[in-house]
Amino acid sequence: MRFVYRVCGPLWLSFHRLSSAGISTMASNGAHSVAYVTAPSEEVAKKLAKGIVSGKLAACVNIIPKVTSIYEWKGEISEDAEVLMMVKTRTSRVEQLVEFIRKNHPYELPEVISLPIQKGNPPYLDWISEIVPENNE
């Protein structure tokens, strides 16, 4: 514990003082969102992700392989191997993100589910804000 204190002591003390004073060290305003999008393959997900990031619709897209989806479609239960995309963006850009996905996704009905980020690492959320411009429409 001494080693950790020596290396991280001043940082820990600052965090402890802020927390003890009732000051939150986590951003929590919902200005950012994470959207979940499924895709049929890593190739499709990478193509979509590159378009999303280069179009400034998100700062980062994580691609998670080997997701199994079980769902009802056109009256039948289906099971498919998919990949999951986690898209980090501004909440104000979600509608544009959905439109991009609808225009560029191979599925007839692509999944796009967005949730506001209520708390997170402030420098990371600031980075998202730096990369993704505010929606001016």
Side-chain angles (χ1 to χ4, degrees):
M1 187 62 144
R2 279 189 203 166
F3 177 75
V4 172
Y5 177 77
R6 286 183 184 152
V7 173
C8 302
L11 179 60
W12 181 84
L13 287 174
S14 296
F15 175 79
H16 179 71
R17 287 181 188 138
L18 289 172
S19 297
S20 298
I23 298 170
S24 175
T25 57
M26 302 287 278
S28 61
N29 60 11
H32 303 90
S33 288
V34 61
Y36 298 97
V37 179
T38 53
S41 68
E42 284 189 55
E43 181 182 328
V44 170
K46 286 178 183 180
K47 183 177 177 183
L48 289 168
K50 288 176 183 178
I52 290 165
V53 173
S54 67
K56 299 290 187 183
L57 295 175
C60 176
V61 178
N62 301 112
I63 298 172
I64 304 166
K66 298 181 182 180
V67 173
T68 300
S69 296
I70 300 172
Y71 56 95
E72 183 175 332
W73 181 247
K74 297 184 178 181
E76 301 210 6
I77 303 299
S78 298
E79 180 176 326
D80 287 311
E82 296 185 296
V83 298
L84 177 63
M85 301 166 59
M86 288 180 37
V87 183
K88 276 74 74 166
T89 189
R90 286 182 183 261
T91 300
S92 67
R93 299 302 296 267
V94 169
E95 286 183 35
Q96 291 171 318
L97 173 66
V98 170
E99 187 62 28
F100 177 88
I101 295 295
R102 291 177 69 189
K103 285 182 180 175
N104 295 284
H105 202 289
Y107 287 169
E108 179 181 343
L109 181 62
E111 173 187 357
V112 184
I113 298 171
S114 172
L115 301 169
I117 298 171
Q118 295 302 317
K119 294 185 185 243
N121 179 12
Y124 184 82
L125 298 176
D126 290 344
W127 172 74
I128 294 173
S129 295
E130 289 174 22
I131 300 298
V132 180
E134 189 70 57
N135 183 6
N136 294 324
E137 294 180 10

